Amino acid sequence: MRAWMNGRLLTDPEQPALSVIDHGVTVGDGVFEAIKVVENVPFALTRHLNRLATSAAGLGLPAPDLAEVRRGVAAVLEGQDLPLGRVRITFTGGPAPMGSGRGDEPPTLIVAAGPMAPYEPTTAVVTVPWPRNERGALAGLKTTSYAENVVALAHAQERGASEAIFENLAGHLCEGTGSNVFYVLDGELRTPTLASGCLAGVTRALLVDWCGATEIDEPISVLAEATEMFLASTTRDVQAVHLADGRELVAPGPVTREAMATWVTREAENPDP
Ligand SMILES: Cc1ncc(COP(=O)(O)O)c(C=O)c1O
């Protein structure tokens, strides 16, 4: 792994570098991005930087200097040999008093890069008993307050699944802990709308454009009727689901197979680098 923080490359990325009172650490007051790297080149970087800025604005953090973030990304990738990797950008409220109130120190900007293992082509998912709050202050933002996802993912992993699926407060299908959900019903490819409270996934948006998926909010029980299902994310690309709450699905089914093929072809164009 290589890491860069507040304008300089760290000589040892494993050594402590962050203030113990950084608001990102003490109360999860920060935003982040995870970006796929293929042959040392970040995928759709501009889309990720735009979402970083949107998340920061949603949290009321200062606007990140995106040119500086790009310099950090270039610094952690320079001279690396990453056939498949991940860049992680973290932007926090910076050092602050130990409570929820913000301090007046500048924000902290961290960029790190390391290798990424390819995901299995198919996977199992389980729905979890905790809802996403689509009306909450953090809805749709990619914040470092991700402990709900940690709990849900652990719940799924204890049940032999690699992803946990949330419904929202309205009882509608929402998203996974780190992925968006697509499914096929009546032969139509569908995915929840952004109003469901799901993250505006970069992979999701590209797939909606490229495959023409219908954005619709439906009760989470649609998963019991879906003929196909797949997860979409930076780390999974298009990953077919073969088991959803113990129900077997064809994986990949014909629609998923087409989405996978489209993804592989169009990804090579690297939109919005
Ligand atoms: C909660 C959540 N939903 C969806 C996604 C998928 O987004 P993307 O395709 O931009 O990786 C992520 C990404 O990690 C996520 O954290």
Side-chain angles (χ1 to χ4, degrees):
M1 189 179 78
R2 191 178 291 176
W4 176 103
M5 185 173 145
N6 293 340
R8 63 181 188 89
L9 210 50
L10 304 181
T11 36
D12 182 349
E14 310 264 320
Q15 283 297 304
L18 198 63
S19 163
V20 293
I21 55 162
D22 192 283
H23 229 209
V25 172
T26 54
V27 296
D29 179 23
V31 297
F32 77 102
E33 281 298 318
I35 301 144
K36 184 179 177 184
V37 173
V38 182
E39 303 298 349
N40 256 22
V41 178
F43 176 71
L45 181 59
T46 301
R47 285 178 183 247
H48 284 282
L49 295 185
N50 290 343
R51 189 172 63 189
L52 184 79
T54 302
S55 296
L59 227 57
L61 289 172
D65 175 347
L66 298 184
E68 177 71 351
V69 182
R70 278 185 189 273
R71 279 192 284 280
V73 172
V76 294
L77 289 177
E78 198 195 342
Q80 288 245 51
D81 177 20
L82 283 178
L84 181 62
R86 175 179 5 201
V87 166
R88 158 96 189 202
I89 300 166
T90 311
F91 183 66
T92 81
M98 289 195 202
S100 294
R102 292 206 171 107
D104 44 24
E105 298 280 328
T108 301
L109 175 60
I110 302 166
V111 185
M116 179 166 80
Y119 256 81
E120 297 295 321
T122 73
T123 197
V125 301
V126 294
T127 53
V128 291
W130 309 288
R132 267 284 189 262
N133 180 358
E134 72 275 27
R135 293 186 274 119
L138 305 186
L141 305 180
K142 197 163 170 72
T143 79
T144 57
S145 295
Y146 250 33
E148 273 201 342
N149 290 325
V150 174
V151 172
L153 186 57
H155 177 92
Q157 287 173 339
E158 281 158 19
R159 286 155 183 79
S162 85
E163 182 59 303
I165 307 296
F166 291 99
E167 62 182 331
N168 61 17
L169 288 176
H172 291 147
L173 176 63
C174 186
E175 66 177 343
T177 64
S179 61
N180 291 107
V181 180
F182 287 74
Y183 57 100
V184 178
L185 203 64
D186 299 330
E188 183 181 61
L189 181 61
R190 300 181 183 177
T191 194
T193 74
L194 297 184
S196 73
C198 69
L199 184 75
V202 168
T203 319
R204 173 192 178 281
L206 291 171
L207 284 169
V208 167
D209 272 6
W210 293 343
C211 304
T214 300
E215 298 176 81
I216 181 171
D217 292 317
E218 300 188 279
I220 195 165
S221 56
V222 285
L223 291 187
E225 298 157 40
T227 49
E228 295 177 43
M229 180 179 175
F230 65 79
L231 303 177
S233 79
T234 292
T235 50
R236 298 175 192 257
D237 293 337
V238 176
Q239 187 184 40
V241 172
H242 65 255
L243 202 65
D245 280 340
R247 186 171 76 96
E248 285 188 16
L249 290 153
V250 180
V255 178
T256 306
R257 200 182 289 275
E258 205 178 313
M260 286 169 133
T262 303
W263 180 264
V264 169
T265 311
R266 302 290 302 268
E267 184 194 20
E269 296 167 8
N270 196 0
D272 310 309

